[in-house]
Amino acid sequence: MDADPTHIEHTGAMAERDVQVNLNLRVRGMGPSSTVAINERCDELRARGKQVFKLGLGQSPFPVPEPVVEALRQNAGQKAYLPVKGLKQLREAVAHYHARNEGIDVDAEAVLIGPGSKELMFLLQLVYYGDLVIPTPAWVSYAPQADIIGRRVSWIHTDPKLDWKLTPDQLGGLCSLDPGRPRIVVLNYPSNPTGGTYTPDELDALARTAEQHRVVLLSDEIYGELHHDGAHDSIASHYPQGTIISGGLSKWCGAGGWRLGTFTFPPAMGWLRDAMAAVASETYTSTSAPIQYAAITAFEGGEEIEQYLKDVRRILKALGNWCAGRLNSVGVHTMEPLGAFYLFPDFSPLADRLEEHGIDSCTSLSADLLEEIGAAVLPGTEFGCMPDELTVRLAYVDFDGALALQAITDLGDEAMPDDAFLRSNCPSVVTAVERICEWVSDL
Ligand code: GLU
């Protein structure tokens, strides 16, 4: 038997099968998150020499603001485990940040710091026994987290004609089906994947319905600072007693890889915060110490960070509008983005022409875009849409944000970046969108 040259391979295959069988049933068959997977696939293709436009992962192209990087340098030596709920000064800075930016009166005690808001969302679902209500299209990981934990998911399919926004009637209709059932309703705006947002009146109307049905609202406001006009309004100011605000450094501070998220709870939900902290203490113990110290500077803000945000918003607004305009000009219906760095183009007006080319779903559409022109986008199905809806998510982030920030500084404080600015500072995004437009026109 030892002479069998295939012996080791056999053993390996058997071992792998055994492990598969022993996987938790809820996890068996599950692949990595599609945002993470598309990024790794792009890197592989690039390493093999293929030209790839990275419009898949929603990662900020901008550098972390210098004062925050400097604070991290200064605190590189911080090595102690910190309190499980987070560093006191950081929780205070987050509470002041909410008061300053959103006019919400929050105590530092209400804030929970975690290693990314994604992890905090998972902990919330783990400790809170309730259904997860997800208006679609929605970020890729809410539902898989519920599946892993075994929570029931209720989907609410929003209407593209209403810019994919959840309406109070839809929310009320679902809640009336089984009144009193515990539910967490996710609201995410500015939206990943549509780039849309809600007006204060719309938020107020949703808040009244949420209040009537006593739902826990998980308001994912991670893109709040990236409202293109700097006019984000938190629904927590309309429904303070039932809203958990989810935020963090990943998007507005260009620090996705730093993994720092925040949850801010209503005063009456301290029991939920404490239950999450108990689980956190048994799993990750505490969030990285140097990162927490640096995050104090980020949340305290200041002139330099304000200027950074103004410049980031100007670039994203100009680039998002340019991309949407180009796509609309060739018949791909694309909503004007109001925040974040995503577009959710709908190719269904071109369904007949696409079908003649063998494309009848958003998965075949995104596969073709990657294969034929190197544009990596994610299919609408990853965001809860039906395969035949022919939507994709395009993250317009494949550019050097540091260069773009330098260029906009040279442009002066008021001017909006024009076509020439975008071509020289965001060339990959511009080229990718032009290639998509040519591809569509050639169908
Ligand atoms: N939120 C980003 C996205 O939707 C990336 C991070 C993640 O999914 O974990 O692409």
Side-chain angles (χ1 to χ4, degrees), residues 76-94:
Q78 298 286 355
K79 57 180 270 295
Y81 293 117
L82 295 181
V84 61
K85 288 180 190 162
L87 190 62
K88 189 161 185 297
Q89 299 97 297
L90 176 57
R91 296 171 77 198
E92 276 164 5
V94 174

Side-chain angles (χ1 to χ4, degrees), residues 1 20 60 75 108 127 193 210 225 244 263 302 333 353 375:
M1 185 174 147
Q20 288 278 333
S60 168
N75 285 286
V127 304
E225 287 282 20
I244 302 169
F263 263 24
H333 182 77
R353 276 156 60 196

Side-chain angles (χ1 to χ4, degrees), residues 21-43:
V21 169
N22 289 332
L23 272 178
N24 180 331
L25 275 180
R26 295 206 189 101
V27 178
R28 212 186 282 177
M30 205 174 212
S33 165
S34 58
T35 51
V36 175
I38 187 79
N39 197 42
E40 292 179 5
R41 171 111 180 93
C42 287
D43 290 344

Side-chain angles (χ1 to χ4, degrees), residues 18 208 391 428:
D18 288 347
R208 298 292 65 82
T391 47
S428 291

